[in-house]
Structures are given as C-alpha cells and as structure tokens.
Amino acid sequence: MLFAAIGFVIGGASDLAIDLIWIGTALRAKISLRQESAHCWKRKPATHSKFAIFVPAWDESAVIEAMLDHSIEKVTGHDVDIFVGYYPNDRKTGDILKRVAVRGGRVVPVRAPRPGPTTKADCLNAIWRGMVEAESDKGYRFDAIILHDAEDLIHASELALYDRLLPGLDFVQLPVLPLPDPHSRWIGNSYCDEFAEAHGKAMTVRQSLGAAIPSAGTGCAISRKALAGLAEQRGGVPFDADSLTEDYELGLRIAEAGGKGIFARCRDEDGSLIAVRSHFPSKLGTAVRQKTRWIMGIALSGWDRLGWRGGWAERWMRLRDRGTILAAMVLFAAYAALALAALLGAAALLGHYEMPEIDPLLRVLLWINFGLLIWRLLMRAGFTAHAYGWREGLRAIPRTITSNIVAMMAARRATGRYLFGGSDGAKRWEKTHHVFPDTTLL
C-alpha cells in the first residue's frame, strides 16, 4: 500500500501539472476547446499541393475496399494519389486493391518485396519506394505524404487543412477520434476516453511547452522534404524497419532534425472536429495485443532507440511516455493492497484478525491520493463528455478500471516479450481485427 501510495502521488503530481498547464494556457491565450469553432485555418491561402496518401495493409480484405471508396469520395477536388502497400502472400487484399485501382483511378497498389507480415514500418518503406518510382515514371513530385490506416474514416476537410497549414511546416498531426462501439462499451469505448483526454489536452500541452509532437501513425501529413531527409539518413527509406512504433518515432525524429511540427485541432464550418475516426479493438485480447506493441515500442524499445534528448520539457514528456511499465506496477500493487485489505477487514469482522493502525504518513498519502483520484476522474469524464456527450462522460469514470486492467496485462506481456523476445527474435506486425463502420449511420 505504501509503494502504491508513493507511486500514485508522483504520477498524480505529474498529471496535475499537465492539467494546470493546460488550464493556464487556455486562460492566458484564450485557447479553449470551444474556440476551435473559429475557422482560423480558413484564413490561410490554399496552395493546391499534390498529396500522396500511404496506407499499409496486412490482411485487410475485410475493410480496405470500403475504406478506399470512402476516401476517394472525401478527397474529391484535391490532387492526390493513394498508395496502398500489400504483401505477396496476402492474395485477398491484393486482388481487392487491383480491382479498386482499375475502378477508382486514384489507388496505386504497391506490392512489398517480402512475404508478410513484416513490421508496419517495412511496409511503409515499400510504399515509399513505389511512390518514388511513380514520381520518376510520371515526371512530377509530391509535396507531402499523408499516413492513414486501412480502417480510417478520412474527414472531408482534412486535405484542405493540410493544404493551408503545411507550407512552412514539416509535420502536421490531426486528432484521433475513436468511434464509440455500442457492442463494446467497456473495452472498445475506453479508447474514446483515452484519446479524448490525450488529444484534447496532453498533445496541446506538449505543443505549448515546445516539446516534439509524436505522430499517431494516422491523420498526419509530412512534407516531402522532411521524409526525404530521413530517407537520406537511412539509406534511401524514411522509416526504420526494426521499429514497432514507427509512427511515434517519426514526429520525434523530424523534430530532432530541426523540422517544425504542430498538433492541429481545428473545426470545420459545420462545427465538426477535423479528426481521423475509426473503430478500435473491442475485445480484451486484441486491446491487450495492441497496447503491448505501443508499450514495447514507446516505453521499452523507444528508450533504447531515442534515448533522452532535448530540454526539460522534452525529457519530461519522454518520461511520461515511458512510465507505463512503472505505472502498471503501481496499479497492480494498489489493487493487490485493496484486495488484501478487504480480506483482512472481513477477517476482523469475524473476529479472526485485529486490524492495525494505519501509519500517519500513509494516512496522509492516502488522502492525497483520494483527492488526486477524484480530480483525475473528473478531468477524464469532462474531456470524454466534450467529445462524446454526457452519457459517455459518466461511463468514462467506471471505464477507468477497464483501462487499468488492459494496461497491466499489456505491460506484463510487453515486458516479457522485450526481455525474452519471440521464438526467432523477428519483429512482426501483430494483427488486430479491423471493422469499417457503416458510414450511413454516422
């Protein structure tokens, strides 16, 4: 209990500092969530950039056709080609891509040289080579590359926003807005709570402090010049094929190279947030697998690969990113202490045990933890309610337990995989089942 109490005070103090910085920034600069309705990005002139959308795909035959048809509809009016990477041993996805390419005209299938699954970064490198070859054949050059996943819903104003913001920038990240799943209110919808708070508050705080903006791997645009610079450093390809979280690393490496990136939280004329929407894992096993990859890539391998660079703000953000393993240990200790206290309390009621007095220092820590917990739950509920309505905001409070369970299971799995590796030590794209939504219901 003492270990958990100290850990919660340290982590809670860091979270509280983020909250206070966000509140202070909003009050001082009058940048609040409501002010996003001001269409400030519309004041910038259109540049009519030529875009290449990268979509890496492994075993995506269930969603890729619907995603591409929807994307083609949303990018109408823009100069854009959609490059989709697939593997030679994924025949179903490849056949669909060839059919859509003939029908739509904008889709360019790119076959990876090796059977899959490799890493997502390796697939993106294959797409990069395909784009460079297309540029050479057609005699033109793309201005920027946009990353998307095979299950994404592209916002109708996304490309217009990139077109106005990218000149003078190297990287633009949009918010990710998970779609609520009525069939998975406690697992799938826990992603709604996490992203509502992370992309409504934490990312804006990173930007206000001058820390690097990590890519979410989807809904981000990178200038052709910035990606070409990374490719020169890496022997012709911009992504590190050994990385499990190439998306997270991308934004940080662009910043380390002197590039300028922003997190753009803007609204369209109808008031809708310009964001990427998609369904996230709805089952416990798939959620644990996905978060295992995030923890391994960011908290464990990211420590090895990226080190500790930058000023105090950058180091603080990297510490927060990499604290998930320790946070899971603290959570496990807290739940274990709670269970043991309940058992001992029951034994005391039956007269088989005498509960000892709680140490005064521990008592103080527990009261501080209680206050921090109430504050944290209110903040999460508030951001979820802002994005999804008050009912989901209320559900976000008990869903915190679900998020904690998934985090503890993923941390245990990630630590084991990191320390002992797989049977052959190879890094592979760990597949999660994707569902494309019925767009008529949105």
Side-chain angles (χ1 to χ4, degrees):
M1 188 177 291
L2 179 62
F3 171 77
I6 294 174
F8 280 140
V9 166
I10 295 173
S14 178
D15 290 339
L16 181 60
I18 294 292
D19 296 338
L20 295 177
I21 292 171
W22 179 80
I23 292 171
T25 301
L27 292 175
R28 183 174 61 253
K30 295 182 180 180
I31 303 176
S32 67
L33 291 177
R34 292 187 180 278
Q35 201 187 18
E36 294 155 9
S37 58
H39 317 303
C40 55
W41 63 276
K42 286 280 191 179
R43 302 169 193 162
K44 296 180 177 291
T47 58
H48 307 292
S49 299
K50 186 170 184 60
F51 295 107
I53 297 177
F54 283 12
V55 182
W58 160 244
D59 191 19
E60 299 290 6
S61 58
V63 297
I64 192 65
E65 185 168 11
M67 182 270 182
L68 291 174
D69 287 341
H70 179 267
S71 299
I72 290 170
E73 177 187 348
K74 295 301 179 183
V75 301
T76 300
H78 295 277
D79 193 356
V80 57
D81 288 338
I82 305 174
F83 292 83
V84 187
Y86 71 100
Y87 291 94
N89 58 330
D90 185 6
R91 184 173 178 179
K92 288 184 178 179
T93 301
D95 289 344
I96 292 172
L97 291 177
K98 293 169 186 175
R99 183 170 69 246
V100 175
V102 172
R103 185 177 72 236
R106 291 181 181 268
V107 176
V108 183
V110 178
R111 179 173 165 172
R114 295 185 293 163
T118 58
T119 60
K120 190 175 178 181
D122 185 63
C123 188
L124 286 168
N125 283 335
I127 300 174
W128 170 266
R129 296 188 193 97
M131 184 201 71
V132 172
E133 183 178 341
E135 287 178 329
S136 177
D137 291 342
K138 297 182 180 180
Y140 56 68
R141 189 180 177 90
F142 292 96
D143 298 300
I145 289 84
I146 300 168
L147 302 184
H148 270 291
D149 288 331
E151 71 276 16
D152 286 351
L153 281 173
I154 294 180
H155 194 282
S157 296
E158 179 179 322
L159 266 64
L161 179 66
Y162 292 143
D163 187 58
R164 286 167 166 82
L165 294 185
L166 264 178
L169 296 173
D170 297 289
F171 171 76
V172 175
Q173 175 66 56
L174 298 183
V176 176
L177 194 66
L179 289 166
D181 188 343
H183 304 295
S184 183
R185 292 198 181 279
W186 304 108
I187 296 176
N189 288 6
S190 66
Y191 287 91
C192 298
D193 310 332
E194 294 175 14
F195 277 91
E197 192 169 12
H199 284 194
K201 177 188 62 180
M203 292 286 277
T204 58
V205 170
R206 291 182 87 120
Q207 184 160 271
S208 67
L209 293 177
I213 302 297
S215 166
T218 181
C220 60
I222 312 101
S223 71
R224 176 68 164 74
K225 179 181 177 182
L227 267 189
L230 292 178
E232 288 178 7
Q233 299 173 13
R234 223 173 247 121
V237 290
F239 303 96
D240 190 336
D242 290 330
S243 174
L244 292 173
T245 48
E246 79 299 324
D247 46 4
Y248 172 83
E249 292 184 14
L250 177 64
L252 272 60
R253 293 199 181 278
I254 288 175
E256 288 178 357
K260 184 179 179 182
I262 65 168
F263 179 70
R265 192 175 171 95
C266 304
R267 291 192 179 269
D268 203 351
E269 293 176 349
D270 62 359
S272 66
L273 183 68
I274 302 176
V276 179
R277 307 186 75 191
S278 65
H279 280 300
F280 277 69
S282 59
K283 298 183 182 301
L284 180 62
T286 52
V288 170
R289 286 201 300 273
Q290 184 182 66
K291 291 196 175 182
T292 296
R293 181 178 69 85
W294 292 354
I295 293 173
M296 284 186 64
I298 296 173
L300 298 173
S301 298
W303 188 323
D304 298 333
R305 297 167 57 80
L306 297 172
W308 298 90
R309 303 187 183 95
W312 68 269
E314 181 64 34
R315 291 171 185 264
W316 180 23
M317 294 301 107
R318 294 193 185 195
L319 178 62
R320 287 177 56 83
D321 294 341
R322 297 167 186 175
T324 49
I325 297 292
L326 181 58
M329 293 172 61
V330 171
L331 282 170
F332 180 78
Y335 283 118
L338 184 63
L340 288 171
L343 288 174
L344 294 176
L349 287 174
L350 295 173
H352 301 302
Y353 182 77
E354 184 177 348
M355 292 290 285
E357 287 290 328
I358 298 179
D359 183 85
L361 175 61
L362 180 56
R363 188 184 297 275
V364 171
L365 289 175
L366 291 176
W367 277 111
I368 294 173
N369 284 335
F370 180 73
L372 291 172
L373 174 63
I374 297 301
W375 174 262
R376 171 68 26 239
L377 292 176
L378 290 175
M379 289 295 290
R380 172 152 290 195
F383 277 92
T384 302
H386 179 268
Y388 297 98
W390 66 269
R391 288 183 177 84
E392 288 301 324
L394 290 178
R395 292 190 186 105
I397 295 175
R399 270 201 299 257
T400 303
I401 298 175
T402 305
S403 297
N404 290 343
I405 292 172
V406 172
M408 288 186 290
M409 294 177 66
R412 183 202 62 80
R413 190 168 181 262
T415 302
R417 290 172 65 90
Y418 177 74
L419 293 176
F420 305 109
S423 58
D424 58 2
K427 293 184 175 65
R428 294 187 180 90
W429 192 343
E430 196 162 20
K431 175 67 179 173
T432 55
H433 178 68
H434 293 143
V435 177
F436 195 78
D438 182 354
T439 56
T440 62
L441 301 178
L442 297 176

